[in-house]
Amino acid sequence: MKDNSTWLNILEILKNELTEAEINQWLSPLNIKTLNGNPIILTAPNKFFKTWVEDNYLTLIKKTFKENLGLKSDIDIIISIENKDDQTIRTVSVERNVTTTDTTFDLPLNKRFTFDNFVVGTSNRYAHAACSSLISGKTTANPLYIYGDVGLGKTHLMHAVGNEFKERFPKYRILYTTGESFVNDFVTSMRLSKLDSFKQRYLNIDLFLCDDVQFIAGKSRTMEEFFFTFSQLYATQKQIVLTSNTSPNNIKELDPRLSSRFTSGLMVDVSTPSVEEKEAIIKKYIEIEDLTTQRFSDDIIRYLANNLKSDSTREILGATLRIFTLASIDNEDITIQFAEKHLKDFLMKRDKTLSPDSILELTAKYYQLKVSDLKSKNRSKTIALARSIAMYLIREKMSLSYTEISSIFSRDHSTALHAVNKITDELLTNHELEGTINVLLDKMKLIH
Ligand code: ADP
Ligand code: MG
């Protein structure tokens, strides 16, 4: 198992150079067979993987071995399923749950992309519901078309559908591919005059998952073949799920016959997550990846959710992993200062002038009070309310801990927690309060 963890480390390092999707798709299914010696031998689940990785990633892999492990050996890739007696390799590929079938162009499903590991929120509610309804057979959505910006969970949901079908209906033939891989498969099949087996492969399935389908656009022969495949599967009532970075009508150079087919089923989008969703996703990620040796406090998670520049879940999780790795290496606590220092390029430019003081001033002014009233022990109704609102706003905007906020008001550490909870509860029903908070939030936007 030692080699397995070396490979996982290499993948971790490669995350700096490649997208997570590339790593999941192409490199996770590989493994190290022998590390000592020249060449280093890696195993791939099938020929297509071997060629693809050799053509696209071998130089980078070699460089990473050299720079991080000091290994200058050449690297050879062999196909693992040819070597059926090799128990070690078999166990490893079972562990990773790589679907190795005899079809060369199938891509593996990522075992970790499950419904259980997916956080549902307003940004992805419909997409999630549509995917789950496929499983329960409660829908006739065909095709199901999921679209949205990169990093928002489309691939995750698609794999979740595949994984769930695989578990519930073991006899189902599932084919997961990407637009890019479909193009390659088609072009290769043409070149080798193997179009028949290509057709055979794509038609002989029950569930067709095609991720990032936009990649077929602009390639007329491929689109024609895709149209044929689609129509045949559709006519025989096979479920089709597609994802894309945009709606069918916005894909440039997509055959109109395809966009009309793609729009004919159910289209759902995924949008950028709210701060609360980001927090929940980060928490889930920490749990799944077991990033627990270094403690992520709720304050840090909230800080990350509030301050990271990108709304892409992929990048948010990347930053979380980065901070975890750096803290583990130096064995440091993950504090806001630590995160600030190490995530500089990933953080939003902080509004320099928005501070607890400016929030206090704004709130006091709104209620025609003085800042000193808010900080005083006076418990008259208006002052107490204004004080609680100020605590709530500082918490919303400044990512300070409750203890820190309480101390601004010279209060016991749990005071801010109670005040913020009270306002949060109250906001659910009290529209006047909601209006006040919105006015104050708007005013804060004007501070420069
Ligand atoms: P897309 O295909 O839309 O570009 P991915 O599905 O590859 O995005 O998601 C990027 C990363 O973010 C993956 O690691 C995925 O597991 C994670 N992710 C995205 N959305 C969620 C979510 N709602 N809950 C948990 N993880 C998520
Ligand atoms: Mg994707």
Side-chain angles (χ1 to χ4, degrees), residues 380-444:
S380 85
K381 212 171 152 207
T382 313
I383 295 181
L385 174 65
R387 187 181 296 129
S388 296
I389 289 179
M391 289 179 175
Y392 174 87
L393 291 171
I394 293 174
R395 178 70 182 172
E396 276 293 297
K397 285 299 186 192
M398 307 304 305
S399 305
L400 295 182
S401 71
Y402 289 117
T403 314
E404 285 167 315
I405 300 173
S406 301
S407 75
I408 294 173
F409 296 82
S410 318
R411 295 295 209 282
D412 180 59
H413 72 276
S414 60
T415 314
L417 172 72
H418 293 310
V420 173
N421 281 346
K422 199 160 162 253
I423 297 287
T424 311
D425 285 348
E426 184 89 22
L427 275 173
L428 295 173
T429 48
N430 185 338
H431 296 305
E432 194 188 328
L433 179 65
E434 192 185 348
T436 304
I437 299 262
N438 285 339
V439 169
L440 287 168
L441 285 171
D442 281 347
K443 283 185 190 294
M444 279 191 233

Side-chain angles (χ1 to χ4, degrees), residues 357-374 382 386 390 436 439-440 443 447:
D357 281 344
S358 57
I359 294 175
L360 281 170
E361 271 166 37
L362 214 70
T363 317
K365 197 167 159 208
Y366 181 88
Y367 281 98
Q368 299 179 336
L369 298 166
K370 291 198 216 76
V371 170
S372 57
D373 293 329
L374 299 183
T382 313
T436 304
V439 169
L440 287 168
K443 283 185 190 294
I447 298 181

Side-chain angles (χ1 to χ4, degrees), residues 20-21 24 113 117-120 124 149-157 211 270 281 284 313-314 317:
E20 201 161 325
N24 287 338
F113 288 172
N117 290 348
F118 191 82
V119 177
V120 186
N124 53 35
D149 282 343
V150 21
L152 299 180
K154 302 180 297 294
T155 297
H156 188 134
L157 279 173
D211 208 357
V270 285
I281 292 171
K284 189 98 200 174
T313 303
R314 175 176 301 134
L317 298 182

Side-chain angles (χ1 to χ4, degrees), residues 7 11 14 18-31 42-54 56-58 61 77 96 98 104-108 110 159 176-182 184-185:
W7 184 240
L11 295 186
L14 284 170
L18 301 171
T19 65
E20 201 161 325
E22 276 178 295
I23 293 181
N24 287 338
Q25 213 160 77
W26 299 111
L27 301 180
S28 290
L30 268 57
N31 228 308
L42 303 182
T43 56
N46 60 40
K47 193 161 164 238
F48 181 58
F49 267 86
K50 174 175 149 65
T51 321
W52 189 270
V53 173
E54 281 171 350
N56 296 286
Y57 303 112
L58 201 58
I61 296 174
I77 301 181
R96 294 239 178 101
V98 171
T104 34
F105 281 79
D106 277 20
L107 297 176
N110 185 330
H159 282 246
Y176 168 71
T177 189
T178 62
E180 205 179 3
S181 183
F182 186 90
N184 290 323
D185 195 0

Side-chain angles (χ1 to χ4, degrees), residues 9-20:
N9 280 335
I10 293 283
L11 295 186
E12 218 42 68
I13 296 162
L14 284 170
K15 281 189 181 161
N16 295 326
E17 315 253 353
L18 301 171
T19 65
E20 201 161 325

